[in-house]
Amino acid sequence: MPDVGPLLKHWRAARRLSQVALAAEAAVSLRHLSFLETGRAKPSRAMVLKLAGVLDVPLRERNTLLLSAGFAPEYAESTLDAPALAAVRDALDAILAQQEPFPALVMDRGWDIRHTNGAARRFFAFLREGRTAEPPGPPNVLRRMFHPDGVRPHVTNWPEVAEALVARVRREALGGVTDERAQRILDEVLHYPGVPATLRTLDATGPLLPIVPIRYVRDGLRFGFFSTVTTLGTPQDVTLQELRIECFHPMDDETRSNVRSQLG
Protein backbone atom coordinates (compact mmCIF):
# COMPACT_ATOMS: atom_id res chain seq x y z
CA MET A 1 0.00 0.00 0.00
CA PRO A 2 1.57 3.35 -1.03
CA ASP A 3 2.01 6.17 1.48
CA VAL A 4 -0.79 8.69 1.67
CA GLY A 5 1.47 11.69 0.88
CA PRO A 6 2.31 10.73 -2.71
CA LEU A 7 -1.32 9.78 -3.30
CA LEU A 8 -2.49 13.20 -2.19
CA LYS A 9 0.09 14.78 -4.46
CA HIS A 10 -1.10 12.59 -7.33
CA TRP A 11 -4.70 13.69 -6.92
CA ARG A 12 -3.70 17.33 -6.60
CA ALA A 13 -1.75 17.05 -9.86
CA ALA A 14 -4.63 15.20 -11.52
CA ARG A 15 -6.94 18.09 -10.62
CA ARG A 16 -4.32 20.59 -11.79
CA LEU A 17 -4.14 22.43 -8.50
CA SER A 18 -1.06 23.99 -6.97
CA GLN A 19 -0.31 23.46 -3.29
CA VAL A 20 -1.30 27.09 -2.74
CA ALA A 21 -4.67 26.61 -4.47
CA LEU A 22 -5.47 23.38 -2.63
CA ALA A 23 -4.45 24.82 0.73
CA ALA A 24 -6.73 27.81 0.13
CA GLU A 25 -9.71 25.67 -0.97
CA ALA A 26 -9.30 23.25 1.93
CA ALA A 27 -8.61 26.03 4.46
CA VAL A 28 -5.37 24.43 5.67
CA SER A 29 -1.93 25.98 5.95
CA LEU A 30 0.40 25.65 2.98
CA ARG A 31 3.13 24.43 5.33
CA HIS A 32 0.93 21.66 6.72
CA LEU A 33 -0.17 20.53 3.24
CA SER A 34 3.44 20.41 2.11
CA PHE A 35 4.36 18.32 5.14
CA LEU A 36 1.49 15.92 4.42
CA GLU A 37 2.57 15.39 0.82
CA THR A 38 6.20 14.79 1.75
CA GLY A 39 5.39 12.50 4.67
CA ARG A 40 6.78 14.84 7.32
CA ALA A 41 3.32 14.98 8.91
CA LYS A 42 0.56 12.39 9.17
CA PRO A 43 -2.99 13.50 8.36
CA SER A 44 -5.92 12.84 10.63
CA ARG A 45 -8.86 10.86 9.30
CA ALA A 46 -10.88 14.07 9.07
CA MET A 47 -8.09 15.76 7.10
CA VAL A 48 -7.89 12.89 4.59
CA LEU A 49 -11.63 13.09 3.98
CA LYS A 50 -11.53 16.89 3.77
CA LEU A 51 -8.77 16.94 1.17
CA ALA A 52 -10.40 14.08 -0.75
CA GLY A 53 -13.64 16.02 -0.86
CA VAL A 54 -11.98 19.18 -2.16
CA LEU A 55 -10.13 17.12 -4.79
CA ASP A 56 -13.33 15.29 -5.77
CA VAL A 57 -11.65 11.93 -5.33
CA PRO A 58 -13.92 8.97 -6.21
CA LEU A 59 -15.15 6.95 -3.26
CA ARG A 60 -13.05 3.88 -4.04
CA GLU A 61 -9.90 6.00 -4.02
CA ARG A 62 -11.00 7.81 -0.86
CA ASN A 63 -10.98 4.43 0.84
CA THR A 64 -7.48 3.85 -0.55
CA LEU A 65 -6.33 7.19 0.84
CA LEU A 66 -7.71 6.28 4.26
CA LEU A 67 -6.05 2.86 4.23
CA SER A 68 -2.76 4.44 3.20
CA ALA A 69 -3.02 6.80 6.16
CA GLY A 70 -3.72 3.91 8.52
CA PHE A 71 -7.48 4.31 8.87
CA ALA A 72 -10.43 2.05 8.11
CA PRO A 73 -12.38 2.67 4.88
CA GLU A 74 -15.30 5.08 5.05
CA TYR A 75 -17.45 3.90 2.15
CA ALA A 76 -19.10 0.51 1.68
CA GLU A 77 -18.86 -1.44 -1.55
CA SER A 78 -22.06 -3.40 -1.93
CA THR A 79 -23.01 -5.91 -4.58
CA LEU A 80 -25.73 -4.62 -6.86
CA ASP A 81 -28.05 -7.43 -5.77
CA ALA A 82 -27.64 -6.62 -2.05
CA PRO A 83 -30.94 -6.12 -0.18
CA ALA A 84 -29.85 -2.62 0.85
CA LEU A 85 -29.77 -1.57 -2.80
CA ALA A 86 -33.29 -2.75 -3.65
CA ALA A 87 -34.53 0.83 -4.06
CA VAL A 88 -31.64 1.58 -6.40
CA ARG A 89 -32.39 -1.47 -8.53
CA ASP A 90 -36.02 -0.34 -8.77
CA ALA A 91 -34.85 3.10 -9.89
CA LEU A 92 -32.54 1.60 -12.51
CA ASP A 93 -35.36 -0.61 -13.79
CA ALA A 94 -37.61 2.44 -14.10
CA ILE A 95 -34.98 4.40 -16.05
CA LEU A 96 -34.33 1.48 -18.40
CA ALA A 97 -38.04 0.84 -18.94
CA GLN A 98 -38.64 4.51 -19.71
CA GLN A 99 -36.15 4.25 -22.58
CA GLU A 100 -38.18 1.58 -24.42
CA PRO A 101 -38.39 0.86 -27.31
CA PHE A 102 -34.81 2.13 -27.61
CA PRO A 103 -31.79 0.44 -26.03
CA ALA A 104 -30.37 1.32 -22.62
CA LEU A 105 -27.85 -0.39 -20.39
CA VAL A 106 -26.12 -0.08 -17.03
CA MET A 107 -22.36 -0.58 -16.90
CA ASP A 108 -19.77 -0.44 -14.17
CA ARG A 109 -16.41 1.26 -14.02
CA GLY A 110 -14.75 -1.65 -15.84
CA TRP A 111 -17.26 -1.28 -18.71
CA ASP A 112 -18.96 -4.58 -17.83
CA ILE A 113 -22.66 -4.53 -18.72
CA ARG A 114 -24.58 -5.08 -15.49
CA HIS A 115 -28.14 -4.66 -16.70
CA THR A 116 -30.04 -3.87 -19.91
CA ASN A 117 -33.58 -3.12 -20.93
CA GLY A 118 -35.56 -5.40 -23.24
CA ALA A 119 -34.86 -3.17 -26.24
CA ALA A 120 -31.09 -3.58 -25.82
CA ARG A 121 -31.41 -7.36 -25.54
CA ARG A 122 -33.58 -7.51 -28.65
CA PHE A 123 -31.35 -5.17 -30.64
CA PHE A 124 -28.07 -6.93 -29.90
CA ALA A 125 -29.69 -10.35 -30.42
CA PHE A 126 -30.84 -9.07 -33.84
CA LEU A 127 -27.29 -7.99 -34.71
CA ARG A 128 -25.87 -11.34 -33.61
CA GLU A 129 -28.55 -13.53 -35.19
CA GLY A 130 -27.05 -16.63 -36.79
CA ARG A 131 -23.67 -16.26 -35.07
CA THR A 132 -22.44 -18.46 -32.22
CA ALA A 133 -19.00 -17.01 -31.42
CA GLU A 134 -18.86 -14.42 -28.63
CA PRO A 135 -16.25 -11.93 -27.41
CA PRO A 136 -14.29 -13.29 -24.43
CA GLY A 137 -15.34 -12.75 -20.83
CA PRO A 138 -18.58 -11.32 -19.43
CA PRO A 139 -20.60 -8.84 -21.53
CA ASN A 140 -18.47 -5.71 -21.79
CA VAL A 141 -18.96 -2.57 -23.88
CA LEU A 142 -15.35 -2.35 -25.03
CA ARG A 143 -15.03 -6.03 -25.92
CA ARG A 144 -18.38 -5.98 -27.69
CA MET A 145 -17.38 -2.97 -29.81
CA PHE A 146 -13.79 -4.02 -30.66
CA HIS A 147 -13.89 -7.83 -30.97
CA PRO A 148 -14.53 -9.27 -34.45
CA ASP A 149 -17.21 -11.52 -32.93
CA GLY A 150 -18.97 -8.57 -31.30
CA VAL A 151 -21.03 -5.84 -32.99
CA ARG A 152 -18.07 -4.38 -34.86
CA PRO A 153 -19.00 -5.93 -38.26
CA HIS A 154 -22.33 -4.07 -38.16
CA VAL A 155 -21.02 -0.62 -37.16
CA THR A 156 -20.61 1.33 -40.40
CA ASN A 157 -18.66 4.18 -38.77
CA TRP A 158 -16.57 1.91 -36.56
CA PRO A 159 -13.25 3.86 -36.86
CA GLU A 160 -14.95 7.02 -35.56
CA VAL A 161 -16.72 5.18 -32.74
CA ALA A 162 -13.57 3.25 -31.75
CA GLU A 163 -11.50 6.42 -31.56
CA ALA A 164 -14.15 8.14 -29.43
CA LEU A 165 -14.31 5.18 -27.02
CA VAL A 166 -10.53 5.03 -26.63
CA ALA A 167 -10.40 8.77 -26.00
CA ARG A 168 -13.19 8.45 -23.43
CA VAL A 169 -11.40 5.71 -21.48
CA ARG A 170 -8.12 7.58 -21.55
CA ARG A 171 -9.72 10.92 -20.72
CA GLU A 172 -11.14 9.38 -17.56
CA ALA A 173 -7.66 8.13 -16.67
CA LEU A 174 -6.13 11.54 -17.37
CA GLY A 175 -8.68 13.00 -14.98
CA GLY A 176 -7.25 10.83 -12.23
CA VAL A 177 -10.02 8.24 -12.25
CA THR A 178 -7.59 5.50 -13.22
CA ASP A 179 -9.06 2.02 -13.07
CA GLU A 180 -6.59 -0.80 -13.59
CA ARG A 181 -9.23 -3.26 -14.80
CA ALA A 182 -10.60 -0.86 -17.41
CA GLN A 183 -7.04 -0.14 -18.55
CA ARG A 184 -6.29 -3.85 -18.86
CA ILE A 185 -9.43 -4.39 -20.95
CA LEU A 186 -8.54 -1.41 -23.14
CA ASP A 187 -5.03 -2.81 -23.68
CA GLU A 188 -6.64 -6.15 -24.56
CA VAL A 189 -9.12 -4.82 -27.09
CA LEU A 190 -6.55 -2.61 -28.80
CA HIS A 191 -4.69 -5.80 -29.76
CA TYR A 192 -7.70 -7.56 -31.29
CA PRO A 193 -7.41 -8.47 -35.00
CA GLY A 194 -8.15 -5.57 -37.30
CA VAL A 195 -7.81 -2.83 -34.67
CA PRO A 196 -5.49 -0.09 -36.04
CA ALA A 197 -2.22 0.22 -34.13
CA THR A 198 -2.64 4.01 -34.23
CA LEU A 199 -5.35 3.75 -31.55
CA ARG A 200 -2.72 2.57 -29.05
CA THR A 201 -1.03 5.97 -29.17
CA LEU A 202 -4.14 8.10 -29.53
CA ASP A 203 -3.81 11.55 -27.94
CA ALA A 204 -6.74 11.91 -25.53
CA THR A 205 -5.95 15.46 -24.44
CA GLY A 206 -7.66 17.15 -27.39
CA PRO A 207 -11.29 18.28 -27.46
CA LEU A 208 -13.95 15.58 -27.63
CA LEU A 209 -16.87 15.71 -30.01
CA PRO A 210 -20.10 16.49 -28.10
CA ILE A 211 -21.99 13.73 -29.93
CA VAL A 212 -20.55 10.69 -31.69
CA PRO A 213 -23.28 8.79 -33.51
CA ILE A 214 -23.15 5.02 -33.79
CA ARG A 215 -24.51 3.71 -37.08
CA TYR A 216 -25.45 0.04 -37.45
CA VAL A 217 -26.63 -1.94 -40.45
CA ARG A 218 -28.05 -5.47 -40.58
CA ASP A 219 -30.01 -7.12 -43.38
CA GLY A 220 -30.37 -3.78 -45.14
CA LEU A 221 -31.84 -2.10 -42.06
CA ARG A 222 -30.03 1.00 -40.83
CA PHE A 223 -29.99 2.27 -37.24
CA GLY A 224 -28.35 5.48 -36.07
CA PHE A 225 -28.07 6.32 -32.36
CA PHE A 226 -26.41 8.85 -30.12
CA SER A 227 -26.08 8.16 -26.42
CA THR A 228 -26.36 9.99 -23.12
CA VAL A 229 -24.66 8.83 -19.92
CA THR A 230 -26.21 9.32 -16.49
CA THR A 231 -24.68 8.71 -13.06
CA LEU A 232 -26.40 8.49 -9.69
CA GLY A 233 -26.32 11.69 -7.67
CA THR A 234 -24.43 11.94 -4.34
CA PRO A 235 -23.91 8.19 -3.85
CA GLN A 236 -22.40 6.99 -0.56
CA ASP A 237 -21.52 3.52 -1.84
CA VAL A 238 -18.58 2.67 -4.10
CA THR A 239 -20.67 0.43 -6.35
CA LEU A 240 -23.33 3.06 -6.90
CA GLN A 241 -20.85 5.81 -7.70
CA GLU A 242 -19.25 3.68 -10.38
CA LEU A 243 -22.47 2.78 -12.20
CA ARG A 244 -23.26 4.54 -15.47
CA ILE A 245 -26.57 4.40 -17.30
CA GLU A 246 -26.20 4.75 -21.06
CA CYS A 247 -29.34 5.45 -23.08
CA PHE A 248 -29.37 5.29 -26.87
CA HIS A 249 -31.53 7.78 -28.74
CA PRO A 250 -32.54 7.59 -32.43
CA MET A 251 -30.75 9.97 -34.79
CA ASP A 252 -33.43 9.94 -37.47
CA ASP A 253 -36.92 8.83 -38.48
CA GLU A 254 -35.55 5.79 -40.31
CA THR A 255 -34.11 4.47 -37.05
CA ARG A 256 -37.37 5.12 -35.19
CA SER A 257 -39.30 3.27 -37.88
CA ASN A 258 -36.91 0.30 -38.02
CA VAL A 259 -36.83 -0.07 -34.24
CA ARG A 260 -40.60 -0.04 -33.93
CA SER A 261 -41.29 -2.34 -36.88
CA GLN A 262 -38.49 -4.84 -36.37
CA LEU A 263 -37.63 -4.74 -32.68
CA GLY A 264 -40.59 -3.22 -30.90
Side-chain angles (χ1 to χ4, degrees), residues 33-194:
L33 178 60
S34 177
F35 279 17
L36 292 178
E37 288 190 358
T38 59
R40 296 176 66 184
K42 180 181 177 180
S44 66
R45 181 184 182 87
M47 179 59 70
V48 172
L49 291 173
K50 183 176 187 179
L51 292 173
V54 172
L55 292 168
D56 193 25
V57 176
L59 302 187
R60 181 182 297 277
E61 281 71 26
R62 294 190 197 195
N63 282 344
T64 299
L65 286 171
L66 287 167
L67 288 169
S68 297
F71 302 109
E74 175 78 6
Y75 302 97
E77 182 177 359
S78 307
T79 60
L80 194 53
D81 59 358
L85 300 188
V88 174
R89 292 194 300 275
D90 289 344
L92 293 175
D93 287 342
I95 294 171
L96 296 182
Q98 183 66 32
Q99 185 63 17
E100 296 279 357
F102 304 109
L105 57 86
V106 178
M107 58 186 165
D108 62 22
R109 187 171 170 180
W111 297 76
D112 277 350
I113 299 171
R114 305 296 300 275
H115 197 19
T116 66
N117 66 356
R121 291 190 290 274
R122 292 190 299 273
F123 180 65
F124 291 114
F126 167 73
L127 292 180
R128 292 190 45 77
E129 187 176 346
R131 299 165 59 193
T132 57
E134 298 258 2
N140 180 279
V141 170
L142 297 178
R143 287 175 173 145
R144 177 177 283 177
M145 183 58 66
F146 283 82
H147 198 278
D149 293 326
V151 301
R152 189 174 101 189
H154 301 291
V155 181
T156 60
N157 63 331
W158 185 85
E160 179 185 20
V161 174
E163 183 173 318
L165 269 176
V166 172
R168 180 171 157 187
V169 175
R170 289 192 173 149
R171 178 64 62 89
E172 290 181 0
L174 287 173
V177 192
T178 306
D179 182 85
E180 292 183 3
R181 184 171 176 278
Q183 185 59 52
R184 285 198 304 271
I185 293 173
L186 179 62
D187 292 340
E188 172 191 322
V189 303
L190 290 180
H191 288 83
Y192 285 161

Side-chain angles (χ1 to χ4, degrees), residues 194-206:
V195 175
T198 52
L199 289 178
R200 301 172 200 166
T201 56
L202 179 70
D203 180 11
T205 60

